[in-house]
Amino acid sequence: MYSYIYDDFLNNKKYLKQLKKIENALIDLGIGGKICRLSLFNNIKELIADEVHKGSENIILVGNDKTINKFLNILVEHKNITIGLIPVGQEQNTFAQLLHIPIGENACAVISKRKIKNIQLAAVNNYHFLRSIHFAPQDGVIECGNNFNIQSLSEQTMCAIINPIEDEKQEGTLRATIEEVPEKSILSSILGQQKNTSIKSVFPLQKIYLKPKPSLSLIIDQQKVIKTPAMITMSQEKINIIVGKDNTIPQEDQ
Amino acid sequence: MFNRNIDNDVLPNTQETVIGNTVKVEGEFAGDGDVIVYGVVNGSLSTKKYLEIGETAKITANIEAESARIAGEVKGNVTIKTKLELLNTAKIIGDITAAIISIEAGATINGHCNMSGERQPISTNKTVEKENKEATV
């Protein structure tokens, strides 16, 4: 049984046509189901619990990255369900790209094929996230377990903690990346070039503790913001999610 | 600032660690995969696989690896299980232990070099004087 949860931004009239196409595609493929629309009056936790209680084994989110962010920590509590995504709109659909799911009604065929991937989540202060945390440290030190610290020697740095969900070989370990934000001179702006002689640092890590002074803002999955101190680890929790076919050419191992 | 294109988060397709030229690592760093260093490391640095120290790297640490290629500065002992390559810009201040060593012209080493795979005890001055006396008699 399929339950389709529409995010509240889809109430806008501009999405009406696209939603109609999606609904028709689902019926044609024989995977129609109950449609639930998010609104101010819905409690997300109760909505999911209700659908699972009624026997729904497939919760399909219709929306974008924000939709996954809203539901992830609730869906993780329900072990036996499969999650799907039908991305709508051209913006904020990076998860769909990572999971090889096309935008709009073409995603319905992916849902119908049910290629399921078991993905391990990461967590920051017990809040689960799917893909990444970004932050810009200012004289910050990143503690990695009890053994060593990483410090940026550059004034303008961008850091990311990545959960490599797209690569089975790298699953189970976080990747911390640190790179210098290039300076933009007027000439380079005119020529369309950016000065950047720095080499991106990559650290495979199990645990990262961030406690810079002053406190930093961490952007989780490009949606939610929390403040440090923060303990970032791979989580024990996994989700089953329907993914598309990976048509990229695999790189040869070195 | 944080509307990042997905391409910016593409990771190298290996388990390797890269310490870039704008990063400093302090403490005991132990990797399982290949480690490539262009920045600063203080403390200790070890890996079970291949270690590459770039020309811009400054290491103040004891180093251990399966194999290594050094083009930068190392202040500390270097212990390599198989092959060690020192390029012409390499500067080692410490003892080297390796099964095979390749040294380019221009590399500098200030320390002992042991190729038996075991560290030999350093001779004291008294022992050297005794050996010299025995030699002249």
Side-chain angles (χ1 to χ4, degrees):
Chain A
M1 181 180 154
Y2 289 81
S3 297
Y4 296 90
I5 317 281
Y6 286 19
D7 202 346
D8 53 13
F9 75 91
L10 296 173
N11 292 329
N12 192 314
K13 284 180 186 172
K14 70 177 181 180
Y15 296 108
L16 206 60
K17 232 181 181 179
Q18 197 167 15
L19 289 176
K20 262 287 169 227
K21 285 184 186 176
I22 289 169
E23 286 161 16
N24 288 340
L26 291 173
I27 292 168
D28 290 343
L29 288 164
I31 52 169
K34 186 182 171 188
I35 293 174
C36 307
R37 292 173 190 275
L38 263 194
S39 68
L40 286 171
F41 306 105
N42 294 127
N43 180 299
I44 295 176
K45 201 166 180 175
E46 283 174 8
L47 180 67
I48 298 295
D50 206 32
E51 291 305 305
V52 173
H53 181 70
K54 287 175 186 169
S56 183
E57 293 163 346
N58 303 284
I59 304 289
I60 312 297
L61 304 175
V62 184
N64 56 18
D65 293 346
K66 275 187 186 168
T67 320
I68 295 181
N69 213 274
K70 278 182 204 171
F71 283 88
L72 188 65
N73 281 271
I74 296 160
L75 289 170
V76 99
E77 294 169 13
H78 301 277
K79 305 293 176 197
N80 298 325
I81 58 162
T82 301
I83 302 165
L85 174 67
I86 298 176
V88 177
Q90 294 303 320
E91 292 175 358
Q92 296 190 58
N93 275 310
T94 50
F95 292 143
Q97 215 175 331
L98 274 174
L99 301 172
H100 312 290
I101 301 171
I103 309 286
E105 66 270 23
N106 293 329
C108 301
V110 168
I111 302 293
S112 163
K113 284 181 185 161
R114 285 185 69 81
K115 183 180 172 193
I116 296 170
K117 189 170 179 180
N118 190 243
I119 290 176
Q120 188 174 2
L121 300 176
V124 52
N125 294 347
N126 296 321
Y127 178 85
H128 292 96
F129 68 95
L130 187 60
R131 171 66 175 167
S132 65
I133 292 177
H134 289 91
F135 57 98
Q138 295 159 1
D139 301 329
V141 176
I142 305 171
E143 285 188 25
C144 306
N146 295 323
N147 296 332
F148 64 94
N149 298 339
I150 302 169
Q151 187 175 10
S152 173
L153 300 173
S154 172
E155 284 179 6
Q156 299 278 339
T157 307
M158 180 62 71
C159 297
I161 312 293
I162 310 282
N163 178 15
I165 59 174
E166 73 278 20
D167 188 347
E168 281 171 5
K169 289 179 194 169
Q170 300 189 54
E171 271 177 21
T173 310
L174 293 168
R175 294 285 185 279
T177 68
I178 302 167
E179 58 183 323
E180 191 181 23
V181 176
E183 283 177 33
K184 267 190 174 178
S185 67
I186 297 169
L187 184 62
S188 63
S189 300
I190 293 167
L191 294 173
Q193 295 164 355
Q194 288 183 347
K195 277 197 295 179
N196 189 1
T197 55
S198 73
I199 296 162
K200 187 177 183 177
S201 300
V202 180
F203 293 85
L205 297 164
Q206 293 296 328
K207 186 165 62 174
I208 298 148
Y209 187 42
L210 295 172
K211 55 169 187 183
K213 285 176 184 170
S215 183
L216 272 184
S217 293
L218 308 180
I219 314 284
I220 303 172
D221 283 341
Q222 299 190 47
Q223 303 295 336
K224 189 176 169 70
V225 178
I226 67 165
K227 288 276 193 187
T228 53
M231 174 68 83
I232 306 165
T233 59
M234 287 306 296
S235 170
Q236 299 299 317
E237 302 290 349
K238 294 187 177 188
I239 54 169
N240 291 321
I241 191 161
I242 298 171
V243 298
K245 192 177 171 188
D246 181 3
N247 291 322
T248 55
I249 299 166
Q251 290 182 17
E252 288 178 6
D253 287 337
Q254 294 179 355
Chain B
M1 187 184 185
F2 293 104
N3 270 339
R4 293 176 58 80
N5 188 327
I6 190 173
D7 288 341
N8 291 342
D9 290 338
V10 171
L11 300 166
N13 195 18
T14 60
Q15 290 267 1
E16 71 183 18
T17 301
V18 178
I19 300 174
N21 54 342
T22 57
V23 158
K24 180 165 81 171
V25 173
E26 285 190 326
E28 295 171 14
F29 183 89
D32 287 328
D34 297 345
V35 178
I36 300 169
V37 184
Y38 299 104
V40 176
V41 177
N42 297 333
S44 72
L45 176 60
S46 65
T47 177
K48 294 173 186 172
K49 291 195 174 178
Y50 169 74
L51 171 65
E52 181 167 328
I53 295 173
E55 201 175 327
T56 56
K58 284 187 171 25
I59 317 279
T60 308
N62 290 332
I63 289 172
E64 283 181 32
E66 174 72 25
S67 62
R69 192 174 196 220
I70 300 177
E73 184 181 301
V74 178
K75 287 180 189 170
N77 296 329
V78 179
T79 306
I80 307 298
K81 276 193 182 160
T82 57
K83 185 177 176 182
L84 170 63
E85 244 183 290
L86 299 179
L87 303 188
N88 63 342
T89 50
K91 254 188 223 173
I92 312 290
I93 303 167
D95 297 339
I96 294 174
T97 304
I100 303 166
I101 299 180
S102 159
I103 306 176
E104 266 186 15
T108 59
I109 304 170
N110 284 304
H112 294 274
C113 197
N114 178 8
M115 295 189 66
S116 66
E118 292 170 16
R119 294 206 57 205
Q120 302 295 333
I122 300 167
S123 300
T124 60
N125 285 340
K126 285 184 183 173
T127 314
V128 170
E129 279 172 16
K130 193 181 172 188
E131 283 171 0
N132 285 341
K133 275 185 187 172
E134 285 172 356
T136 53
V137 163

